[in-house]
Amino acid sequence: MNQLGDTRLRTWTLRFMALLAADTQDQLVWLGERELETKDVIEEVEILCRVPEGLAERGVFEHGDLHDLRAIGRRLGEIDSTCRVDLWGNALTTDPAWEDIRSHARRFLLTSLGDWRQPLPRPVRPHTGDH
């Protein structure tokens, strides 16, 4: 991949990790009125946890930085299928898996950037079906 593509993937990884690392209340504020399904968030994070492996091969991330991403991927795999059908906002407050994921995301950011407190990504506007 080219350097610009690697930079974008690194930025995407760090922004999503910032969202996962945020306090629950900050995550809920970020969600606002959006109704994200937990299964969709899990799918996105599972991809996110695989992408940095290739980036580490190209020197964008250190191999040691990936330990917590792998742990997040394992923890996501342990989330029961019945917990995946709920809205993510509800899961954040009821499923202890998200607290574990938060801890790993914080360690990843601390290792990668020196501080887990990072600006949250801009929320994506809900799709309205209008063009």
Side-chain angles (χ1 to χ4, degrees):
M1 181 157 296
N2 66 34
Q3 186 176 0
L4 180 60
D6 285 353
T7 300
R8 292 178 107 171
L9 288 172
R10 181 179 190 279
T11 299
W12 174 60
T13 301
L14 294 172
R15 285 184 180 158
F16 214 103
M17 282 296 121
L19 177 59
L20 293 176
D23 292 327
T24 304
Q25 192 57 39
D26 292 333
Q27 292 169 326
L28 294 172
V29 168
W30 182 88
L31 275 170
E33 298 297 317
R34 285 179 303 286
E35 295 184 347
L36 291 177
E37 292 187 27
T38 301
K39 68 176 181 58
D40 295 334
V41 174
I42 289 173
E43 288 172 6
E44 190 78 15
V45 177
E46 285 176 332
I47 292 168
L48 175 89
C49 289
R50 288 192 302 266
V51 167
E53 294 284 344
L55 294 176
E57 294 297 323
R58 293 188 295 279
V60 177
F61 281 113
E62 296 293 324
H63 284 281
D65 294 348
L66 305 182
H67 171 75
D68 286 299
L69 289 180
R70 291 180 188 120
I72 289 170
R74 285 190 302 274
R75 189 63 176 106
L76 288 171
E78 296 169 357
I79 295 176
D80 186 281
S81 61
T82 58
C83 295
R84 293 174 182 238
V85 297
D86 199 4
L87 294 177
W88 191 45
N90 295 337
L92 284 171
T93 60
T94 60
D95 189 341
W98 294 102
E99 187 60 40
D100 294 342
I101 290 166
R102 181 176 296 106
S103 295
H104 287 294
R106 286 178 178 182
R107 279 194 298 269
F108 172 78
L109 290 170
L110 188 60
T111 301
S112 300
L113 302 175
D115 191 355
W116 68 266
R117 292 171 200 84
Q118 300 296 317
L120 297 184
R122 285 189 309 243
V124 176
R125 296 181 193 260
H127 178 67
T128 61
D130 297 334
H131 295 223

